[in-house]
Amino acid sequence: MSVTKALPHDAARLHVTGAARYVDDIPVPADCLHLAFGLAPIAAGRITTLDLAPVRDAPGVALVLEAADLDRPADCSPSAHDEPLLSGHSIHYLGQPVFLVAATSHLAARKAARRAVIETQKRDAVLSVDDALGVNARFEDGPRIWEKGDAGEAIDAAPHVVTGAIDVGGQEHFYLEGQCALALPQEGGDMVVHASTQHPTEIQHKVADALGLPMHAVRVETRRMGGGFGGKESQGNALAIACAIVAAKTGRPAKMRYDRDDDMTITGKRHDIRIEYSAGFDEEGRLLGVEFVHLMRCGWAQDLSLPVADRAMLHADNAYHLPSARIESHRLKTNTQSATAFRGFGGPQGMMGIERVMDHAAHVLGLDPLEIRRRNYYAEADDSAAAHGAEGTASRLSGKVKPPGGPDPDSGAAAAPAGSEPVKDAADNPHVDLASRGAQGTVPEGRAPEGTHAAQTTPYGMAVEDFVLGTMTGRLAESCDYAARRAAIAEWNAQSEVLKRGLALTPVKFGISFTLTHLNQAGALVHVYQDGSLVLNHGGTEMGQGLFQKVAQVTAEVFGLDTGAVKITATDTGKVPNTSATAASSGSDLNGMAAKTAALTIRDRMADFLAAEHQARAAEVRFDGGMVTVAGSEMPFAEAVKRCYEGRVSLSSTGFYKTPKLQWDRIKGQGRPFFYFAHGAACSEVVIDTLTGEHRILRTDILHDCGRSLNPALDRGQIEGGFVQGAGWLTSEELVWDDDGRLTTHAPATYKIPACSDRPDIFNVELWQEDNREETIYRSKAVGEPPFMLGMSVFFALSDAIAACGPGYPMLDAPATPEEVLRAIGRARG
Amino acid sequence: MAQTRMIRLTVNGETGSYTVPVRQNLVDFIRNDLGLTGSHVGCEHGVCGACSIEVNGDLVRGCLMFAVQADGAEITTIEGLAESGRGAALRAAFTARNALQCGYCTPGMLATALDYVEGGGAADRDAIRAHLSGNYCRCTGYQSIVDAVCDVIEGRVEA
C-alpha cells in the first residue's frame, strides 16, 4: 500500500541540501529587470503632485510606470475588478502601490522607488469598525442576514441570557518566502510566468487580461511556495501582472520580490472582527437561541471578503446545535490593506463567537465550560448510517449526475435583503475571474440530497450527519485527564498568589468544500513512460503541506508501485487548465481524486490489453508490489508497460473530479455548502503571571479527525503547525495601525509569530482515524485548515486562568497579549 | 569611499576573489554572485533566521553582515554541508521526522541545529527550543524539529 503510509515530504531531500528552488532561486538571463513599487504615504486622499524624474534618474533604472502610462487598465482583483495595479491619483490605503520601477537589480529598484516626490491632500481615513459604520462604508448594500427560527423570542424567554462582544484581531500570514514572481517574454507576445501562488489559473487570467491576450497566450508555472496560508491566493496577482507588463513592454525578463516590510505593508491579512452576541440558555446550560452581529474590516478592496465573511457565518455554530439563531454580517470597507484569505477563511473568526458564548455562559451559570460545550454538541452520528463502501468505488463519482430539480422554494427561512447581489453573466464580461472564490456562480445547481429525517441541522439548513466530536471529546478528556487536572488547577490556583493556571478543551467542526460550488472540481494528468516511470501533474500547488506527496501516493497506489516511480511536476496551467486555488483544505480531496481517475483510465487500458494477450479477463489483471500479474504469469510493471506501448496502448490520460452532493444559496443562507465536516479537539493548559500578563502554554493534547489518513506523518505536521499558528493568532500576533492608517507592525521585529520556545512544553497529538462517511479519496479527510482552530483552546485556557483572579468574567479580547491579559485581569477583579 | 571592494574568501572549500559593492549583504552575495540559493532571505533584518550560515565556525545571519566583512573568512552554506557530508544525521532526521514543510526555513534551521549538536548540546528539549528560538518556522509548529534534533543527539538516526 502506498496510501496511508507515513512517507516523508517528497522534496525533503532537496530542502535539507538547499537544492529546492523557489521563484527567486530560478536562474535568470543577465538582462533581467527587477521591480519595486513606490507606495502611497497616506491612507486616504489624493496625490496632488507626483514627480518621478528623480526615480528615472536613479542608477540602474530602465523603466518607470505610473497608472497613466499603462496601455490598458491592469486590475489585480480576484472579484470586483476594484484593484488597479497602480493607484492613479486617488489613494485608498497607506502602502498602496502608486508607481512601478524596473531596474537592473532588486536593490537599485528599491532605492530608486524611494526617490519619488509625492505631494498629497489627505482626507479623513476610515480605519476602524466604528469609522466604517459611521459613514456606512461597506461592501454589498447592507448586512447579510441568515436566520433559523426566531432567536430573539427564544432569548427573551430564556432563564439565562449572556450578552457581550469580543474583538478578534487579524493576522499576518508571514509565509517565510515573501511574494515573488518572474515573467519571461516568449515569441509572438506570449508570456511565461513563474509565480509563488496558490492559484496559477488566476494569475494566468489576470496577466492575460492585463496584457489584452487570450489565456492561451500565458502559461503559469508554480513549483512550490515557501508557505502560503491563504496569503498567496490573490495577493500575488500584483507582482505577476507588474512583471508581465514590464516584460511585454521591454522584451526583457522581469522579476519582482517584495522585501518583508513592503510585503507586510502592501498585502492583505486575515480579517479582524468584532462579534456582538446575545444568547439565551436554559437552567441546564442548553442554548435556546443566539444572535450574532459580525463586524468585519475588509480593507479597501473587495478581494475575497464576501466568501470569507460568509464562511464566518457558516461557522457561527462550530460544534453546537443552535435551535434558533440570527447571524448578521457587515462587510466593512476601510482604508487599510485589503483583508484576504488566511487558513480557515473566516471560519476561525466565526467560531470564536460561539466559543466565547459557551465560555461566558459557563461562567454565568457556574458550570464547567467543557460540560456546557458537550451539552450543546450536535447529536453524534449514527454508526449504522456510516458508509463503509469498498475502496475503488470512489472514482465512479466523477461521472455521477446530480439529482434534477431546483432549489426548494420553501426551504429559505432567511430574510436577507433581496436582490442586493445581482448575478452578472460572466459570458458577457471577459474580465470576470471565474476561477476565483470572489466570483459569483451562474450555473444553477441541482438540489442537495435530503438529510435523514431526524438529523439536526445547521443554521443554514444542512443536516449534520457525520458528527463524531462527542466520542472524540470523551476520548480526549480521558487521555488528557481533564477532570483531575481541572481539580488540581483549582487547588493550585487557591495557593498561588501571582501565577494562575487555566485549562480549556475546545472543539472544531469545519466544513469542507469551496462555498462557491463550481470551484469544487479538479483535473490531473498522468503519463506512463516506456520504462515504467510515471509523471504526475495536477491543478494543486505545493506550499509545504505535502499535497504533491499525497497525490503521488494515490497515483502509485493505483498501479501498485512505490511513490519513487512517480515524478511530481510543477503545477502548470499548460498541463492542467482551469484549476481552482489550492485552498479551502480541498487540495488532496480534489486533486487526489482527479489523479486517481487519470491513473485508473490508464490502468484499465493496460489491463484490457494484457488480458487480451493472455486470453484472460481484464478484471483478473493485478497491479501490486511493482508487478503485474495476468493469467498466472507475473512480470515487472516496466515490462507490462513496454508490452502495452508496443501494443499501441495510450499510456497518458487526464482525470477529472467534481465534488458531489453540493448545493448552496449564499443569499438565502440555505443548502449544503459542504461535502462533509472535519473535526478536532484540543485541551490546553496555560499559566499566567498576574503582575505582567505574560503567559506560557504548559501542555496541549490534541485529537484530530483525518478520516483514513492518506499520510499520517504529513497530517501530523498540519495538525501541529496549524495549532501553533492558531495559538499565535490569538495570543502574540498583534497588528497595530497608527492614527494615520500606517501599519506599525510591518516586520518581525514588531510582529511576533510563535517561536520554538513558544510552543507547549508538553505537546501530545493523536490522529482520529475513522473512515470518512463520504466517498472521499480513500476515505480520508481534509486537514489543511481545521487544526488551525485548535489554537482556540489556548485562548480559552487563558480566559480560565484570568477568571481565577476575581469574580468577574474576563471578557478577554484577542490577541491575548500580556497587555490584554492584564486588562482582563482588571475586569475579572472588578 | 570606494563603492566596491575586492574580497577574497573561501566558500564551501573553494577560495576565490570577488569585487563586491561595499553595502552588499553577505547573503545577497552568496545567492546572487555565487549562485548558492540554498540560503534564503526571509525578513532581511536578522529576526527570522532563514539566512543563517557558518562564518569562521560561528553561526551568522547572512542579512546582518556585509560581504566585505567576510574578507578572508571561511564560509559554509547548506550546499557545503551537503557536499562534505557534515550534518548528515541531521538531514536524515529532518527528513524522517518530517521536520520541514515548505522548506524555506530549513537551511537556516539546520545550520542552527548543527551548531547546537556539534557544540555538544544535550537532548534536553528546553535547551534545544531555546537554541532554535531565533529561527522562525511558520509551518511545522517546531515539534518535529525538536524531535529530529533529539534523535540525532541520542543516536537514533542512521546518517
Side-chain angles (χ1 to χ4, degrees), chain A residues 1-26:
Chain A
M1 287 287 281
S2 182
V3 295
T4 73
K5 259 194 191 167
L7 298 173
H9 195 282
D10 55 282
R13 190 186 305 269
L14 301 176
H15 287 309
V16 297
T17 56
R21 266 190 196 164
Y22 302 84
V23 174
D24 197 31
D25 302 338
I26 297 170

Side-chain angles (χ1 to χ4, degrees), chain A residues 7-9 11-13 15-22 24-25 106-107 110-111 171-178 224-227 229 257-261 342-343 542-545 696-697 713-714 717-718 720-722 724-725 728 733 747-749 751-764, chain B residues 3 21 23-25 28 31-32 35-50 77-83 87 90-107 109-110 125-126 128-147:
Chain A
L7 298 173
H9 195 282
R13 190 186 305 269
H15 287 309
V16 297
T17 56
R21 266 190 196 164
Y22 302 84
D24 197 31
D25 302 338
H106 175 71
L107 195 59
R110 291 193 62 215
K111 281 181 169 172
Q171 186 177 26
E172 161 64 32
H173 303 84
F174 213 88
Y175 25 66
L176 258 279
E177 177 214 25
R224 64 170 58 80
M225 283 160 274
F229 315 115
R257 156 173 92 73
Y258 291 160
D259 85 295
R260 185 61 60 178
D261 298 75
F342 196 140
R343 202 175 197 172
E542 178 64 41
M543 58 195 108
Q545 79 278 44
R696 292 192 62 81
I697 310 172
L714 295 174
Q718 289 299 298
E720 292 169 357
V724 168
Q725 199 174 64
E733 298 187 35
Y751 182 81
K752 177 72 173 72
I753 72 166
C756 194
S757 50
D758 295 320
R759 42 154 292 256
D761 294 339
I762 302 170
F763 195 12
N764 300 314
Chain B
Q3 291 297 296
R23 300 279 295 175
Q24 187 178 37
N25 289 337
D28 289 340
R31 286 177 53 80
N32 301 337
L36 297 171
T37 54
S39 298
H40 298 146
V41 170
C43 73
E44 298 178 73
H45 63 259
V47 181
C48 79
T77 69
I78 184 81
E79 292 92 342
L81 291 176
E83 279 163 22
L90 269 175
R91 285 191 292 279
F94 267 56
T95 302
R97 281 288 191 174
N98 203 29
L100 54 88
Q101 288 181 27
C102 85
Y104 204 77
C105 74
T106 306
M109 194 68 82
L110 269 172
R125 298 184 76 88
D126 286 344
I128 295 169
R129 286 167 60 191
H131 195 85
L132 296 179
S133 273
N135 287 70
Y136 279 159
C137 169
R138 192 55 153 163
C139 299
T140 64
Y142 303 103
Q143 174 89 338
S144 52
I145 296 173
V146 179
D147 289 343

